[in-house]
Amino acid sequence: MIPGSIYRLNIGECLIRNANKTQTSLERMRGLLGRPKLADDEALLISPCSSIHTIGMGYPLDIAYLDNTGRVLKTVSTLVTMRFSSCWSAAATLEMPAGSLQRLSINLGEILEWRATHDD
């Protein structure tokens, strides 16, 4: 996975400091399965991805589905375990701890941008 951060594009605000992005098909298939619960400043960006499941997950997630430009197409709050969710027009899925959508005020139509973390 590639380490990075999620920004609200219109104002450049860093929303999520630690947002890993999947790099391989194996990473996309595994997602967060078998990983510890995300902290409030963590997320996983899965790309390409238009559907997810929480089978085998030990905690609920908030989901933002993004198009190719990072525009939020659909949000799902507190997706509990043993559920499926999809947005067939999405290019990527941002998985966050439950409550993140409300806490970060992520809204439909806004543009989120993932930026790789650079060592200075």
Side-chain angles (χ1 to χ4, degrees):
M1 287 194 223
I2 308 168
S5 300
I6 299 290
Y7 289 81
R8 194 181 317 266
L9 189 60
N10 61 339
I11 58 174
E13 173 189 11
C14 182
L15 293 178
I16 303 168
R17 180 89 32 220
N18 301 304
N20 288 326
K21 182 179 180 183
T22 59
Q23 191 171 4
T24 67
S25 58
L26 183 58
E27 289 173 348
R28 288 190 299 276
M29 285 189 303
R30 179 177 178 197
L32 292 171
L33 290 174
R35 300 184 193 278
K37 184 177 179 178
L38 294 170
D40 284 345
D41 65 342
E42 294 180 318
L44 178 64
L45 180 64
I46 304 174
S47 178
C49 181
S50 61
S51 65
I52 63 144
H53 69 82
T54 56
I55 297 170
M57 295 290 298
Y59 49 90
L61 297 171
D62 276 5
I63 309 298
Y65 290 98
L66 313 174
D67 70 9
N68 285 323
T69 67
R71 184 174 310 279
V72 178
L73 301 174
K74 177 181 176 180
T75 59
V76 180
S77 295
T78 314
L79 185 66
V80 296
T81 60
M82 303 299 289
R83 299 289 189 270
F84 289 89
S85 178
S86 64
C87 177
W88 297 116
S89 57
T93 303
L94 182 62
E95 299 183 349
M96 302 165 282
S100 295
L101 290 168
Q102 182 177 6
R103 182 175 51 80
L104 300 172
S105 298
I106 295 174
N107 298 302
L108 295 177
E110 74 176 308
I111 298 176
L112 304 180
E113 179 180 57
W114 178 84
R115 298 179 192 168
T117 302
H118 298 287
D119 293 330
D120 295 333

